[in-house]
Structure formats: C-alpha cells, structure tokens
Amino acid sequence: MKAPATLRFAANRRFKIVQFTDIHWKDASPHEARLLAAMERILDSEKPDLVVLSGDIVHSPTRSLDGCRKVAAPMIDRGIPWAPILGNHDHEGDAKREDIAACLESLPLSLVDRGPLELGACGNYALDVLHQGSDQTAARLYFLDSGTYSPLKPRVGGYAWITREQICWFASASRGHTVPSLVFLHIPVPEFLAAWEKGDAVGQKNEIICAPELNSGFFAAMVEAGSVLGAFAGHDHDNDFAARLHGISLCYGRSLGLDTYGNLPRGARVIELREGAADFESWIREESGDEVYKFTHSALTEPAG
C-alpha cells in the first residue's frame, strides 16, 4: 500500500488549495491540449499544497479510466497531492463508479479514500492538515460523495442527496475536532439558494441552483459541528458565487471543462487557509491568468433575521 502524502501548513503558515471542478474529460476531444494547459498554468501560478477535484472528472463514452490518468498527470508531474470526489456524470462512460474510484485511488499522490463501504464505495473521507512545526492537526478537510440521481424516482425527481448514513459518519468524524474545517462535495446542498438570497454574495449566479429536491439536513450537521468554515461544490457550470449562511461560506468552484455547457470563463477556485485562524481567503483564477472575486470568509456578511 502506498504511503499517503502528509499535508502541512507551509513555512509562511498558509495552506493553499486549488479546486478544479467539472472537468468533464472527453476522450479524443479537440480541446484536450487546451484543458491540460489551463490546469498546468493555474497550478504553476498558484503553486498549491493540495488540489481537489470536486466531481465530474470524466464524462466520456469510452476509456474513462484513461481519462482519469490524463487529468491527474498535471498534479503528478508537479508532485502535488490531490484529493478527488466523484460527481453525477463520472460513471456514465465505460467504467463503473467503483472502477473509477479504484483507479483514482491507485494513482500517485492521490489521497482519495473510498471510506466505509456502507456509505458507498466512492469516497467519503477526511484529511488532516498539520501545523507547520509539529504533527498536531491544524485544519481538517472533509470529502463526501454526493451521489448521482434521486433513488426515489419517479416519486422524487432530481439529484441525489447526502444520506442519513453519511451525515452520521460526518457527525462522528467531526466530533471533538475543533480545528477550522472545510467540506467538499459535488452537488450543492439546498441552502446554497438561501445563502445567495440572504447573504452578501461574491461572484455570479447565472443558472438555477441544481440542488437535490429533498433536504436531508447535511447543512444543519455542518453548522452543528461548529468547526466548518466553508463548503465547496461544483455541478452548476454557470454559478461561481460564494455567500455566507449561519457562519458557513457556501462556495461554488469555477467550471474547467471545455466539452460541456457553460458561459463563464474557465478556471478554478483557490482557497487559502491561515494557520491558527478560523478564516480563509478565496478567489477565482481564470484560464487567462486573471484573479477575480477575491474575498475573506470572515468579511462575508449575512443580514440578521
């Protein structure tokens, strides 16, 4: 078994994450070179300590596993640890969802853990970020497989939701951990809409929020944990906003895929934690190199009431 990479705050007491989302790798695409070049340009500009692939990594009728390997190459070539989760489209090629999870797990510098099998075999796990000068945990990152489509069709349509079993796992995994924490999932929780409508949002909402039709209560579990600063999703390619609700910043990544819908310039979300502070900064790094929509978690406001 390969030894996992150790995540640790840098000497400047910062820990930087690049979130690539909705890559939608398509085999034999004419955009292959441009997509990989965009990833490489963003990585070389930001020099992150960790890359998160927040779902819909591949969406291709053939050779999905080969697509996973190609998408991982920019991180592997630069020696950057990376943590993937799956989206609702990843399994729609020639490989089963479990096959893709196993392939991602086998690749160098991958930190994915398929987690307890009773939760689904495709990635529910937590990673610790250690202090710069010790092996004590300074921050914690949670990754959840938000599934695909409603298991209760036709009675309940739309997308899947974080299950009760996953919520129990998260509650147990976060219990007693008071360090600043972030959560990553593909499909946004329904509270993204309330955050947009109530909060002082940074960024754009150019399409409906495609959250599950059922609210399973995962946002409540994040609030109750008391340590979660932000939750980061993908899924909606023309939304990239961040807005705060009940002390948690709910943030979209910026879609990167070129073989899928979306009118926003392609890019990635960057998140930078500060050691010892219950805070983070975040911005969008566009394919062009432009930095837009920079904000600080603690400065996002939410009206009372």
Side-chain angles (χ1 to χ4, degrees):
M1 180 179 294
K2 62 182 181 181
T6 299
L7 302 180
R8 187 183 298 277
F9 278 87
N12 65 357
R13 304 178 70 85
R14 302 294 177 107
F15 186 85
K16 184 184 286 187
I17 301 167
V18 164
Q19 177 197 6
F20 289 128
T21 195
D22 295 86
I23 293 171
H24 283 264
W25 179 272
K26 182 178 180 182
D27 294 317
S29 166
H31 303 302
E32 176 177 328
R34 178 183 161 189
L35 191 153
L36 292 175
M39 293 180 71
E40 292 167 350
R41 193 177 305 115
I42 291 168
L43 294 177
D44 291 342
S45 172
E46 295 293 349
K47 296 179 172 56
D49 302 290
L50 175 70
V51 170
V52 173
L53 303 181
S54 59
D56 286 358
I57 301 166
V58 292
H59 184 193
S60 176
T62 59
R63 301 190 303 282
S64 294
L65 298 183
D66 188 49
C68 289
R69 297 183 186 99
K70 288 184 178 179
V71 168
M75 287 78 77
I76 295 170
D77 291 347
R78 288 160 177 77
I80 304 170
W82 53 286
I85 49 177
L86 298 185
N88 54 293
H89 286 303
D90 284 297
H91 68 295
E92 294 176 349
D94 63 324
K96 295 179 180 178
R97 200 169 176 81
E98 292 78 8
D99 296 335
I100 295 174
C103 178
L104 294 170
E105 192 175 33
S106 71
L107 295 173
L109 298 172
S110 169
L111 297 178
V112 68
D113 184 340
R114 279 176 280 176
L117 294 180
E118 62 269 21
L119 303 182
C122 299
N124 298 279
Y125 59 105
L127 297 173
D128 289 336
V129 183
L130 305 182
H131 280 280
Q132 184 269 328
S134 76
D135 287 338
Q136 291 186 328
T137 299
R140 196 163 167 84
L141 312 175
Y142 297 94
F143 304 83
L144 288 97
D145 178 5
S146 56
T148 57
Y149 302 96
S150 168
L152 299 180
K153 287 184 177 181
R155 186 156 51 100
V156 179
Y159 295 99
W161 46 88
I162 301 297
T163 66
R164 275 182 284 181
E165 291 80 8
Q166 288 175 293
I167 294 171
C168 289
W169 168 82
F170 171 78
S172 177
S174 60
R175 190 174 297 119
H177 289 277
T178 59
V179 296
S181 302
L182 305 177
V183 172
F184 295 89
L185 69 170
H186 178 68
I187 299 173
V189 293
E191 284 81 2
F192 268 67
L193 178 58
W196 168 263
E197 292 177 340
K198 185 178 181 180
D200 182 16
V202 176
Q204 301 182 63
K205 176 185 176 294
N206 295 327
E207 63 173 308
I208 63 170
I209 293 172
C210 295
E213 293 184 11
L214 285 185
N215 191 330
S216 63
F218 181 55
F219 181 76
M222 289 193 288
V223 174
E224 290 166 354
S227 59
V228 177
L229 306 180
F232 301 84
H235 190 52
D236 300 338
H237 303 179
D238 277 325
N239 296 333
D240 68 356
F241 70 82
R244 184 162 160 160
L245 183 67
H246 302 313
I248 296 177
S249 293
L250 297 176
C251 313
Y252 278 104
R254 176 70 74 85
S255 178
L256 185 66
L258 296 163
D259 286 291
T260 184
Y261 84 92
N263 294 314
L264 290 173
R266 285 355 198 186
R269 177 167 291 284
V270 185
I271 308 132
E272 189 169 71
L273 287 160
R274 292 181 285 174
E275 185 175 355
D279 207 356
F280 66 85
E281 285 188 322
S282 186
W283 57 92
I284 300 293
R285 179 68 66 185
E286 295 185 336
E287 178 187 10
S288 65
D290 291 344
E291 176 187 293
V292 298
Y293 301 137
K294 189 170 187 175
F295 73 93
T296 301
H297 163 68
S298 59
L300 277 179
T301 60
E302 48 183 303

